[in-house]
Amino acid sequence: MPGGRLTQQERQQIALGLADGLAYAEIARRLDRPTSTITREVMRNGGPTAYRADLAHRATERRAHRRKQAAPRESQESAQPYGRDAEAVREYEEQFTTVVMASGMPLMMSRVLSCLTLTDSGSLTAPELAQRLQVSPASISKAIAFLESQGMVRRERDERRRERYIVDDDIWYQSMMVSARATAQLVETARQGVGVLGPGTPAAIRMENVARFLDFVSEGIARAAEQARDILHATSGVTSDPTATSDLTATSDPTATSDLTATSDPTATSDPTATTVPGGPAEPGSGRA
């Protein structure tokens, strides 16, 4: 496979492939490039619906110019703890950011989350984030506000009264619970629609089926998140044995989900006023399930 940066011609081929509805893997095969290269290129330049070859090429040139200008600063920061390869860490951070973006999170929010997650301390101040990512403080503030709404970061004051943004082992649990609550709110709204549309009508039946499906999903997410957090908290710090993660599988009784099925009486949801909203009202933010 060819190496180096994508050429303008290759970017035009990517744009044509996206317009034709081709999968990233197929576009990569035609260009003889890794699929990850195509995925990263598209996601960092607007996504599959907004990708433009000329804009992507100019953006890459600007990033390369900024890296060249920032070379003295990077050379001072190139020393990584634990003997890590600085270039490998940068490439991995970019890859992690791309995957987070593919899940639906905007670019700047993904970059901030990746930067925080991949630091050993798990916490940075706004100026530190702005310096690392070479963006404005306003961009950091907006990204943090979004991540907070998703339960992905929290704020603390350090001993110097500086505000620090922190990620910890609970961020994915908190994010899952925000998602479950948002989905539960959608369930409630869908069931309200049954009464408005008239029980038994095609549209009302459709909304009831939406509510039943999402109700099952949101309750399952909340239950799985609670179970996983309890198990991982119980085992964290006890052992560094890589086989220790088998405890999670071993204690996750595969029959446990049958309780949810057993209690999900299909007739119980016929009442359009009935709601099951675990965790209370939805928080602001994404409704990702």
Side-chain angles (χ1 to χ4, degrees):
M1 291 186 179
R5 293 175 182 167
L6 291 166
T7 65
Q8 190 162 14
Q9 276 188 325
E10 286 177 317
R11 290 190 168 93
Q12 289 170 351
Q13 292 300 311
I14 291 172
L16 290 173
L18 293 172
D20 290 340
L22 299 181
Y24 294 151
E26 176 59 21
I27 297 173
R29 188 187 65 77
R30 295 187 180 191
L31 294 177
D32 195 25
R33 290 276 192 171
T35 303
S36 59
T37 298
I38 306 304
T39 303
R40 186 163 54 247
E41 166 69 15
V42 174
M43 295 307 299
R44 76 187 306 183
N45 290 290
T49 59
Y51 183 83
R52 299 292 182 272
D54 54 342
L55 296 179
H57 195 70
R58 287 200 293 270
T60 301
E61 289 179 338
R62 286 196 298 271
R63 284 192 293 267
H65 182 65
R66 285 200 300 267
R67 288 193 195 103
K68 188 174 181 181
Q69 288 182 324
R73 179 184 62 83
E74 289 184 354
S75 63
Q76 294 175 358
E77 297 182 354
S78 60
Q80 285 279 331
Y82 303 102
R84 296 174 182 139
D85 183 300
E87 184 61 29
V89 171
R90 277 193 294 270
E91 288 181 1
Y92 177 75
E93 184 170 334
E94 186 173 298
Q95 179 185 352
F96 187 81
T97 300
T98 300
V99 172
V100 173
M101 287 174 60
S103 73
M105 188 175 290
L107 172 59
M108 184 51 60
M109 292 66 172
S110 300
R111 293 188 68 200
V112 170
L113 179 62
S114 297
C115 189
L116 284 168
T117 303
L118 299 181
T119 58
D120 288 300
S121 65
S123 71
L124 293 168
T125 64
E128 288 170 341
L129 280 166
Q131 182 181 28
R132 284 171 178 251
L133 298 176
Q134 292 293 285
V135 297
S136 69
S139 296
I140 298 298
S141 178
K142 183 178 179 180
I144 290 294
F146 175 87
L147 291 170
E148 276 191 306
S149 74
Q150 303 303 302
M152 302 295 285
V153 301
R154 58 186 175 84
R155 301 173 189 240
E156 280 188 4
R157 293 278 182 179
D158 62 19
E159 65 281 358
R160 295 171 58 185
R161 306 299 299 165
R162 297 176 305 178
E163 193 169 69
R164 303 191 71 87
Y165 307 123
I166 298 171
V167 297
D168 53 30
D169 292 340
D170 264 355
I171 63 168
W172 300 108
Y173 165 78
Q174 296 294 343
S175 177
M176 288 294 179
M177 296 308 291
V178 168
S179 176
R181 287 191 288 270
T183 304
Q185 183 64 43
L186 184 55
V187 170
E188 182 180 9
T189 303
R191 287 198 171 123
Q192 289 171 356
V194 174
V196 174
L197 297 168
T201 64
I205 291 171
R206 185 181 305 114
M207 293 306 294
E208 178 60 28
N209 287 335
V210 168
R212 293 174 64 187
F213 174 81
L214 293 179
D215 192 15
F216 188 97
V217 169
S218 66
E219 186 174 343
I221 288 174
R223 179 178 297 187
E226 292 280 5
Q227 183 184 26
R229 185 180 67 160
D230 291 345
I231 294 169
L232 294 176
H233 277 195
T235 58
S236 63
V238 176
T239 176
S240 58
D241 181 358
T243 63
T245 54
S246 62
D247 294 342
L248 180 59
T249 307
T251 56
S252 297
D253 181 0
T255 65
T257 56
S258 64
D259 296 340
L260 182 58
T261 307
T263 57
S264 297
D265 180 0
T267 63
T269 57
S270 59
D271 180 3
T273 64
T275 59
T276 55
V277 187
E283 294 184 6
S286 166
R288 300 192 311 277

